[in-house]
Amino acid sequence: MMLAGDGSADLLVLGFESADHELGAWLERALQLCGAFGGRWDEPRRSGSEGAAGAWRDAFLRAPYLRDTAIAAGIFQETFETAITWDRFPAFNETVLGAATEAVRRASGGQGQVTVRFTHVYPDGPAPYYTMVAPARRGDELEQFAEIKAAASDAVLAAGGTITHHHAVGRDHRPWYDRQRPEPFAQALRAAKAAVDPRGILNPGVLV
């Protein structure tokens, strides 16, 4: 979907950067690990703008603009992210991927697909990022979005994931964020908000 391969294999975009030390040994070790698990790769490049990585980067940067064009052309496309610990990820992914796929197809006449990738990984767990694509329901696009969003978000919470990750909360996530957030934390946020933004000018109604 990102035009960075022929679809015959999963794609890992792997990079290191530093302003003060050489990275050859880091990259070499990472490639050894990839090879040990059956991976193959292009020759390493000093620039991320070339080869498969460059194709992926270009498609990634175009994606938000293409989404608007896609919905005008009758294609529903939406993403959501979460985070989970490594030990719980396999069962979590099976649950969420299944629920999201079922919701997409139920809301789209039996068509559509859901893909998953890691946007960030940490020692304690990954941040899976799910992309949903399906035919749009003409004249009913907002209702279709709300239906799919609710099913996917319910599945994330039920399986123990966070309602969001690096894209923060926002109004779309607010109902599920309220269910997941402990009340003492909400009280602390309200107190901080009252202290630094007493007139409620900054993002009113988003977090509290």
Side-chain angles (χ1 to χ4, degrees), residues 9-20:
D10 293 323
L11 177 69
L12 171 65
V13 179
L14 178 66
F16 296 90
E17 60 183 5
S18 174
D20 66 0

Side-chain angles (χ1 to χ4, degrees), residues 45-128:
R45 303 171 188 269
R46 295 194 66 84
S47 169
S49 63
E50 304 172 357
W56 180 89
R57 179 180 180 276
D58 289 346
F60 179 80
L61 294 176
R62 287 195 304 266
Y65 305 96
L66 291 176
R67 184 178 69 168
D68 294 343
T69 302
I71 196 67
I75 302 170
F76 167 87
Q77 184 176 336
E78 184 56 39
T79 59
F80 65 94
E81 85 240 342
T82 180
I84 192 75
T85 54
W86 287 115
D87 59 318
R88 298 165 69 190
F89 172 72
F92 173 86
N93 183 60
E94 182 177 358
T95 297
V96 172
L97 195 59
T101 301
E102 180 182 351
V104 165
R105 293 178 178 166
R106 184 174 59 244
S108 310
Q111 301 182 69
Q113 66 174 354
V114 182
T115 63
V116 60
R117 61 184 175 89
F118 290 157
T119 57
H120 301 68
V121 291
Y122 307 99
D124 54 350

Side-chain angles (χ1 to χ4, degrees), residues 95-167:
T95 297
V96 172
L97 195 59
T101 301
E102 180 182 351
V104 165
R105 293 178 178 166
R106 184 174 59 244
S108 310
Q111 301 182 69
Q113 66 174 354
V114 182
T115 63
V116 60
R117 61 184 175 89
F118 290 157
T119 57
H120 301 68
V121 291
Y122 307 99
D124 54 350
Y129 198 107
Y130 297 84
T131 297
M132 307 176 287
V133 181
R137 294 196 320 230
R138 284 303 202 181
D140 200 26
E141 291 91 347
L142 289 177
E143 290 77 7
Q144 181 185 25
F145 166 81
E147 184 179 330
I148 295 172
K149 175 70 176 175
S153 298
D154 286 345
V156 166
L157 259 62
T162 62
I163 190 55
T164 185
H165 181 252
H166 59 290
H167 285 163

